Amino acid sequence: MQRVQHTGNVCHGLRQAVLASATAVALMMAPPAHAADGDLGADGSFTGSPLWSHEIRDFALDSLHSKNALSVAAIPLNGPGIEQYINADELMSPGSIMKLVTTYAALEILGPTYRWTTDFLTDGQMIGDTLNGNLYVRLGGDPKLTIERLWSTLSDLRNMGITRIDGHLVLDGTVFRVDGGFPEFNDNGDNPHAPFLVEPSAYLTNFNLLHFQVRADERGTQAWSTPDLADVVIDNRVTATGEAPCPSRHNFDWEPIFHEDQRVTVRVSGELPKGCRTTTYLSLLPHDQYTAALIRSLLSDMGIEIAGNNVIAGTPDDARLVMRTTSPDLVTTVRDINKWSNNVMARQLLLTIGAENRREDELDDRVAGIRVIYNWLENKGINTAGMVIDNGAGLTRHGRITARQGAKILQHAWNSPYAADLMASMPIIAMDGTMARRLQNTGMAGQGRIKTGYLENVRSIAGFTRDEHNTTWAVVGMVNNDPAWNGQSVLDRVLYSLYFRPPTGTAISHADSDTAKTTTIQ
């Protein structure tokens, strides 16, 4: 709609016609039931934008049966729009959208090219095909030190002609300081060995996971794990049946049995039709034991024997570097964290921020990392009152943030030199990551990048979404409700409504005898 100004003496009839026409258009744009909800300020502009927020609030009330269950903040970033706030100053449990705070902070504090290194050193000499000395593994806190990267690095030993290490395998995890462990997360599931519950550690490799598989064919069933660790044995009790539709993985029972010698037997039972397979991921060993067993397994596959024991100790100053593996850059790590909401990688990242910025008297890198992020936020002018970061991943019952705080952080991120890196890490609506199956067939595919959160009684979204006028909005929405199972539909409605019915102001002139005034109508 055009903005029309009238000054001086104007025709009364013309002025009334302009106002009537503009008002009619405005009423067509807004739901009639809420047409009178706005209040004019002293300057003739709306003090709030109630039409959009009332519609969302009413929908949430019908779905959640609570006025306080939904919190929303939406801020236009590069085009016309009216900021929207619903319970935006209430401290809420955010779930995994807290990862955006951690990853954005890391991009600015550590830098997008930050990398982790893992060094393999020795205090001995190579004589013939034998390394006479210890093999030290100085771990660097790498969030994604995978089996593939370890294989590639350790294969250099075989290429050097080494087939025997006449010494100990020594793991050095002094990169992190952890004072007393981590706050406990009381999961309501029945699987304490689930991948999303893996805790961070200086000794973390391959996400501390074992991938178990069972396949049925004409010979019966075969079970195996990757990696194949000497400390883990499979007791396969799955029976093969005739050809039939492959069953859900939930039809199988995986029972770990822990022995006093630190070995684990995994008993699996169920029925599997021929030609089918079932699979699961479990975290069963302490991080240091897992990493030592993994390195030994890989070396054994290469024909390299380690004569000594597994030892936890620091690396001597005179040890010589033999091999090194360097992680992909931080931008790649941030993408892995946010696309698939990887908890242990986010928690590892928080420890890294702390380790790189700890004070001499700080004994816990988690606490140091939280301090650094709070200071970073406050230096941007963001009010952190009441905010609880806890572990950087959102996998906590204690984490808290307001929708307004979250949206303000996203507003700063939009203007950051690393805005593109952060946005590229976030799931694309109806296309990939944790948003791949949401808002499909709505015409919104690709129109936003949204991080999701999910905990018992918690659903959340945070990120950047566009409206049909190509304005980008920073949006944060959280549902804290018992139950919150329908919170996802409420949050999807927020995104849908922002796209198709954005709260965009329309300018209408009010011409007085002396000066012109403008009213903004949603």
Side-chain angles (χ1 to χ4, degrees):
M1 182 179 298
Q2 290 183 322
R3 174 174 174 167
V4 183
Q5 288 190 332
H6 302 272
T7 58
N9 294 322
V10 294
C11 171
H12 177 76
L14 176 61
R15 180 169 69 246
Q16 294 300 318
V18 170
L19 290 175
S21 175
T23 302
V25 173
L27 289 175
M28 285 190 290
M29 294 171 60
H34 299 292
D37 283 346
D39 295 322
L40 289 176
D43 62 352
S45 64
F46 268 72
T47 58
S49 43
L51 305 182
W52 187 91
S53 60
H54 275 226
E55 178 185 294
I56 295 299
R57 196 189 302 266
D58 290 347
F59 181 79
L61 180 60
D62 289 342
S63 300
L64 304 171
H65 309 294
S66 170
K67 295 181 179 180
N68 302 316
L70 174 67
S71 176
V72 173
I75 302 175
L77 298 172
N78 61 352
I82 304 172
E83 295 182 6
Q84 300 293 301
Y85 299 101
I86 301 172
N87 296 327
D89 295 310
E90 294 297 320
L91 287 166
M92 307 282 276
S93 176
S96 286
I97 64 172
M98 189 61 81
K99 292 181 176 72
L100 290 183
V101 178
T102 306
T103 52
Y104 171 34
L107 285 169
E108 291 207 345
I109 294 169
L110 299 176
T113 60
Y114 183 90
R115 298 172 186 265
W116 291 261
T117 59
T118 302
D119 294 336
F120 295 81
L121 311 98
T122 186
D123 55 3
Q125 299 291 325
M126 295 184 186
I127 301 174
D129 63 356
T130 301
L131 173 59
N132 288 316
N134 299 317
L135 179 64
Y136 294 88
V137 185
R138 187 164 60 199
L139 295 142
D142 190 338
K144 197 178 179 183
L145 183 54
T146 61
I147 187 172
E148 293 84 4
R149 284 178 51 209
L150 283 171
W151 173 278
S152 177
T153 304
L154 290 170
S155 64
D156 285 349
L157 269 180
R158 188 68 183 86
N159 294 333
M160 295 175 194
I162 298 299
T163 60
R164 178 178 172 83
I165 299 172
D166 194 9
H168 299 304
L169 175 61
V170 184
L171 301 185
D172 179 352
T174 56
V175 61
F176 290 149
R177 293 180 184 174
V178 177
D179 185 17
F182 303 100
E184 182 180 3
F185 173 72
N186 295 316
D187 181 48
N188 61 317
D190 59 356
N191 183 9
H193 313 293
F196 74 93
L197 294 174
V198 173
E199 292 194 336
S201 171
Y203 303 99
L204 179 71
T205 57
N206 204 47
F207 307 118
N208 205 57
L209 293 178
L210 287 148
H211 182 200
F212 293 94
Q213 298 186 69
V214 181
R215 185 181 185 278
D217 56 30
E218 61 276 8
R219 300 169 297 170
T221 63
Q222 296 78 42
W224 67 95
S225 68
T226 306
D228 181 13
L229 304 184
D231 294 348
V232 179
V233 177
I234 302 175
D235 179 6
N236 177 21
R237 301 190 180 186
V238 178
T239 57
T241 63
E243 293 185 5
C246 295
S248 165
R249 60 185 177 86
H250 299 293
N251 289 18
F252 298 86
D253 181 31
W254 299 85
E255 179 187 0
I257 302 167
F258 298 90
H259 306 291
E260 292 183 359
D261 62 357
Q262 296 186 312
R263 291 167 64 87
V264 182
T265 298
V266 178
R267 180 178 299 156
V268 54
S269 57
E271 294 184 347
L272 192 63
K274 292 178 181 178
C276 295
R277 75 174 62 204
T278 187
T279 180
T280 193
Y281 288 87
L282 296 173
S283 177
L284 301 173
L285 300 177
H287 292 71
D288 55 348
Q289 182 184 352
Y290 176 94
T291 295
L294 174 57
I295 292 173
R296 283 181 177 272
S297 175
L298 293 176
L299 289 174
S300 177
D301 288 346
M302 298 171 192
I304 301 174
E305 174 191 1
I306 302 180
N309 299 318
N310 300 330
V311 178
I312 304 298
T315 304
D317 294 337
D318 60 351
R320 297 180 295 107
L321 182 65
V322 178
M323 302 166 295
R324 169 175 290 168
T325 178
T326 302
S327 75
D329 60 24
L330 179 64
V331 170
T332 303
T333 299
V334 165
R335 185 181 187 279
D336 287 340
I337 291 172
N338 287 333
K339 281 287 186 184
W340 300 106
S341 204
N342 191 300
N343 289 312
V344 69
M345 290 182 72
R347 298 178 69 178
Q348 201 86 350
L349 186 55
L350 179 62
L351 290 182
T352 300
I353 293 172
E356 291 285 2
N357 297 277
R358 78 166 76 103
R359 298 167 179 163
E360 285 297 324
D361 60 343
E362 287 182 310
L363 302 177
D364 194 313
D365 289 335
R366 180 187 68 90
V367 177
I370 292 171
R371 171 188 58 78
V372 170
I373 293 177
Y374 280 147
N375 290 342
W376 168 76
L377 290 172
E378 289 163 3
N379 287 338
K380 292 181 176 295
I382 294 172
N383 178 11
T384 62
M387 187 186 300
V388 179
I389 295 174
D390 195 34
N391 62 21
L395 187 69
T396 171
R397 307 294 182 197
H398 308 294
R400 292 292 183 273
I401 195 171
T402 70
R404 190 186 302 271
Q405 288 171 332
K408 291 296 183 183
I409 292 170
L410 290 176
Q411 199 172 17
H412 279 275
W414 175 256
N415 295 308
S416 170
Y418 313 121
D421 300 312
L422 183 66
M423 290 182 68
S425 76
M426 299 162 68
I428 304 173
I429 290 177
M431 293 184 72
D432 75 354
T434 57
M435 286 294 296
R437 298 183 179 181
R438 291 176 64 168
L439 292 165
Q440 291 184 335
N441 304 315
T442 63
M444 290 185 63
Q447 296 299 324
R449 293 178 176 268
I450 300 295
K451 179 75 193 73
T452 62
Y454 180 98
L455 281 176
E456 182 185 20
N457 299 333
V458 175
R459 303 292 185 272
S460 57
I461 56 169
F464 305 95
T465 187
R466 292 165 51 155
D467 64 29
E468 61 182 358
H469 307 300
N470 290 327
T471 295
T472 299
W473 294 74
V475 59
V476 174
M478 291 175 283
V479 170
N480 286 190
N481 198 42
D482 185 8
W485 60 267
N486 51 352
Q488 177 174 311
S489 64
V490 173
L491 297 173
D492 284 352
R493 177 65 173 262
V494 169
L495 296 174
Y496 184 89
S497 183
L498 271 179
Y499 182 76
F500 287 105
R501 303 187 66 182
T504 304
T506 303
I508 304 173
S509 67
H510 287 257
D512 295 332
S513 58
D514 298 321
T515 60
K517 295 182 179 180
T518 299
T519 297
T520 300
I521 292 183
Q522 180 187 340

